[in-house]
Amino acid sequence: MMILKDKVIEALKSVYDPELNINVVDLGLIYYVDVTDSNDVEVTMTLTTPGCPLHDSITRGVRYSIEGIEETRNVEVNLVWEPAWSPEKMTAEGLRLLGR
Amino acid sequence: MMLPQTMGSETNSKLPFSFIIFSLIALVLSQILVLVNGQMVVNGIFRIPAIWSAAHLLVLGWALMVAMGAMYQLVPVAFLTPIWNEKFGFIQFFVTAIGIATFSWMLYISPHNALIPGILMLMGILMFLFQMFMTMRKQAKPNILTAFVGSALVCLFLTIFLGITLIYSLQTGFAAAYYQAIFKSHLLMGVTGWFTLLIFGFSYKMVPMFSLSHGFPMVQARYVYGLYVSGLVITLLSFFNGNPFLLKAGFFLLLAGFSVFSWHISIIIKKRLKKKLDHSFTFALVAIGLGNIIHLAAFISLWSNQNSALIGPFIYLYLLLWIVLSIMGYLYKIVPFLWWTYKYSKEIGKKSVPSLKEMMNESIVVPLFSLFVIAVFAVFFSIFFETILIFNIGQFVLSSVFILIAISILKVLKK
């Protein structure tokens, strides 16, 4: 049976940056996913650039995707700028989608 | 250390959208006016009410309104500060929109009654400057983008101030000896000051964003700013003291500033992660190269005896191939984004939503924009060689392309 953390990561893969059309996991935007014993979920994430115009939409999408999982209780999304995003944080699939 | 950041600075998308929708309608109307009065234009009769109306609809109704709308969207993004007062923004939109619409209408039906709509339009622009001043002063850490955009706004103010001085001078004879100098300064501040500095500033935000560039230097931007602004000041001074050496020095600094900007953008593009760039964005980059060539040609022409005859066609090329092409290229990115935010930003994560690329028919970009560039060159050469037939065909194609572009952008609203 899939554990909740894996379900959260799967759900996050359904959230796409609409400009790049790459999901937030492959784009390397998700830094940490913490799941407590009482199924509270805390996600720490970043964006490719501070002041990304899709700031609110993407963080909202991350929250909605996790809230859509039945077992989760409270969801907290922390947006951080340190450490800053860099291309090294992307997955091989993300780089492939960029034509790299 | 990880520092949580929860502040969002998204503008209510209805505000920039109001400006952009208005601007696209103004664009279509301006081109219909040109097409309907095509025969007069072909015969070299530009100073007719319909053409005054069309020119103001194009420059103020389209280019200025689109720039305002884009700024309502981009200032919070670039400066990480929300718009000072959105409600004031909507009031500013209505005042400016009514001002421009009635001003253009009055120019068409009764030019001597255009003063009151003109004042309304002026109030709208001043309200916009006030809104931007109040928004940008809240920025925590001003940067080089602040310098570009702030200076662009100062130039917009000077353009209006010089424009009013021109009208006053015409009516009363005030500063009549300086009329030509004021007129040239009005053009310089409006075209190279306001629009170019604004596009420079926002390019530094949009180019890395649309190409996903990373790890590029920003030090060159300071040289761009220093050279270009010095060029503006020296050129302005040369208009008033009539010193040809000063004019050449000013044009040289403008060329140097623009060239460093082109070079800097090429460095940023080389550092991109996104291998294949969107077509419309590519045309915005092509516009930089064209702007650079026009700066070079204008500088070289200063050594020619025909300089005064060349400057008009050069301004035309600069407006169309640098400013208009840049704005159109970015509009194809900004409009889908605004509509997506309005329609899908609350759906993301709940269900499958389209990508921004899927919001726009990209296949028409290359043929339409290429046709645009060809038509502009056709009109330029027809003015230069006084070939009426080519002018007629070029202007017809250009107006048709403008209308098709406006319609294709408006079609996003059906997605």
Side-chain angles (χ1 to χ4, degrees):
Chain A
M1 203 181 85
M2 220 176 180
I3 61 166
L4 184 54
K5 187 170 177 173
D6 293 334
K7 285 186 184 176
V8 169
I9 291 168
E10 271 315 299
L12 289 173
K13 284 184 181 171
S14 71
V15 182
Y16 281 74
D17 176 320
E19 165 61 22
L20 300 166
N21 207 18
I22 301 174
N23 71 61
V24 291
V25 176
D26 286 331
L27 205 45
L29 301 182
I30 306 297
Y31 285 168
Y32 294 114
V33 175
D34 289 326
V35 180
T36 64
D37 293 340
S38 50
N39 287 357
D40 290 338
V41 180
E42 186 179 345
V43 173
T44 302
M45 65 174 291
T46 192
L47 295 172
T48 54
T49 173
C52 170
L54 293 159
H55 181 294
D56 292 352
S57 305
I58 294 178
T59 50
R60 198 184 287 136
V62 164
R63 174 183 298 280
Y64 289 160
S65 70
I66 303 167
E67 284 173 350
I69 305 167
E70 237 175 66
E71 302 99 294
T72 55
R73 276 182 33 172
N74 299 311
V75 180
E76 198 179 325
V77 180
N78 296 319
L79 187 66
V80 298
W81 300 118
E82 290 291 335
W85 177 86
S86 68
E88 293 75 41
K89 293 181 170 41
M90 291 182 74
T91 64
E93 175 61 8
L95 286 167
R96 189 191 64 79
L97 290 167
L98 284 173
R100 292 280 148 189
Chain B
M1 195 182 82
M2 290 198 173
L3 303 167
Q5 222 279 26
T6 50
M7 187 201 79
S9 45
E10 270 181 22
T11 311
N12 175 359
S13 54
K14 283 181 187 164
L15 182 56
F17 237 125
S18 309
F19 283 90
I20 290 171
I21 301 285
F22 177 93
S23 77
L24 291 170
I25 295 168
L27 176 63
V28 172
L29 287 176
S30 75
Q31 297 310 303
I32 290 174
L33 276 176
V34 173
L35 286 176
V36 170
N37 294 279
Q39 197 52 49
M40 302 283 264
V41 179
V42 169
N43 294 333
I45 307 167
F46 296 99
R47 296 191 172 194
I48 55 168
I51 299 303
W52 293 344
S53 184
H56 284 85
L57 271 175
L58 183 70
V59 177
L60 301 172
W62 182 63
L64 180 63
M65 285 297 263
V66 95
M68 287 181 180
M71 279 187 77
Y72 273 116
Q73 174 59 34
L74 293 169
V75 163
V77 169
F79 301 134
L80 301 176
T81 170
I83 288 296
W84 169 66
N85 188 330
E86 281 190 1
K87 199 179 268 180
F88 184 78
F90 281 105
I91 298 168
Q92 187 256 316
F93 165 72
F94 284 111
V95 172
T96 320
I98 294 167
I100 292 175
T102 50
F103 182 72
S104 305
W105 178 241
M106 275 300 157
L107 281 181
Y108 191 54
I109 58 161
S110 172
H112 56 278
N113 285 324
L115 185 66
I116 292 169
I119 291 169
L120 199 61
M121 186 174 76
L122 181 71
M123 269 176 57
I125 299 171
L126 291 175
M127 284 169 76
F128 172 75
L129 287 168
F130 181 69
Q131 169 86 285
M132 287 299 137
F133 171 74
M134 296 302 283
T135 301
M136 287 172 65
R137 69 196 282 262
K138 286 194 293 182
Q139 191 189 5
K141 278 190 206 159
N143 52 27
I144 191 70
L145 265 73
T146 323
F148 276 109
V149 177
S151 303
L153 290 166
V154 170
C155 289
L156 176 61
F157 177 76
L158 287 173
T159 309
I160 300 162
F161 175 75
L162 291 162
I164 295 164
T165 313
L166 275 180
I167 297 168
Y168 185 66
S169 173
L170 264 181
Q171 285 180 345
T172 64
F174 166 77
Y178 293 104
Y179 184 83
Q180 278 301 320
I182 299 169
F183 178 68
K184 286 177 187 170
S185 307
H186 174 67
L187 282 179
L188 180 79
M189 286 295 110
V191 177
T192 43
W194 156 241
F195 280 118
T196 296
L197 287 178
L198 193 69
I199 299 171
F200 277 2
F202 285 123
S203 293
Y204 280 125
K205 188 73 199 171
M206 290 192 285
V207 171
M209 215 159 65
F210 295 141
S211 58
L212 197 60
S213 295
H214 196 80
F216 52 85
M218 268 308 280
V219 67
Q220 291 87 342
R222 291 174 183 274
Y223 297 108
V224 175
Y225 180 80
L227 287 166
Y228 209 81
V229 171
S230 313
L232 286 174
V233 173
I234 290 174
T235 307
L236 198 70
L237 287 175
S238 80
F239 291 156
F240 285 89
N241 82 356
N243 184 335
F245 172 76
L246 216 53
L247 179 68
K248 283 174 184 164
F251 267 46
F252 175 75
L253 288 168
L254 290 174
L255 168 64
F258 208 109
S259 303
V260 178
F261 174 72
S262 304
W263 171 59
H264 191 196
I265 293 294
S266 75
I267 294 173
I268 297 174
I269 288 295
K270 275 182 196 143
K271 290 273 185 184
R272 75 185 190 274
L273 287 166
K274 199 174 175 182
K275 207 169 179 186
K276 198 171 176 295
L277 300 173
D278 292 349
H279 295 320
S280 57
F281 174 57
T282 307
F283 273 97
L285 296 175
V286 168
I288 299 173
L290 292 170
N292 209 159
I293 294 168
I294 299 162
H295 263 290
L296 178 66
F299 177 66
I300 292 170
S301 81
L302 287 182
W303 269 267
S304 140
N305 292 332
Q306 288 192 315
N307 176 248
S308 54
L310 286 168
I311 205 72
F314 277 145
I315 293 173
Y316 174 82
L317 272 190
Y318 193 77
L319 258 175
L320 273 290
L321 292 184
W322 157 237
I323 295 165
V324 171
L325 190 59
S326 297
I327 294 176
M328 287 196 313
Y330 285 127
L331 261 187
Y332 267 71
K333 301 290 295 180
I334 293 171
V335 173
F337 165 76
L338 286 173
W339 189 243
W340 187 95
T341 308
Y342 174 70
K343 211 170 167 192
Y344 297 109
S345 74
K346 290 187 173 63
E347 308 289 331
I348 181 172
K350 289 180 184 171
K351 62 176 193 181
S352 173
V353 293
S355 68
L356 294 181
K357 213 171 173 159
E358 287 165 336
M359 307 283 287
M360 189 67 104
N361 179 7
E362 247 223 328
S363 63
I364 58 164
V365 170
V366 175
L368 268 186
F369 279 48
S370 306
L371 212 54
F372 171 85
V373 174
I374 294 166
V376 170
F377 274 119
V379 172
F380 170 76
F381 285 113
S382 75
I383 297 171
F384 197 64
F385 294 109
E386 296 178 2
T387 324
I388 288 170
L389 180 68
I390 304 284
F391 179 90
N392 202 6
I393 297 168
Q395 187 55 51
F396 178 79
V397 172
L398 195 59
S399 295
S400 309
V401 168
F402 265 132
I403 293 171
L404 288 173
I405 286 176
I407 292 170
S408 76
I409 294 174
L410 286 168
K411 269 187 159 177
V412 172
L413 312 189
K414 283 172 112 183
K415 298 274 177 178

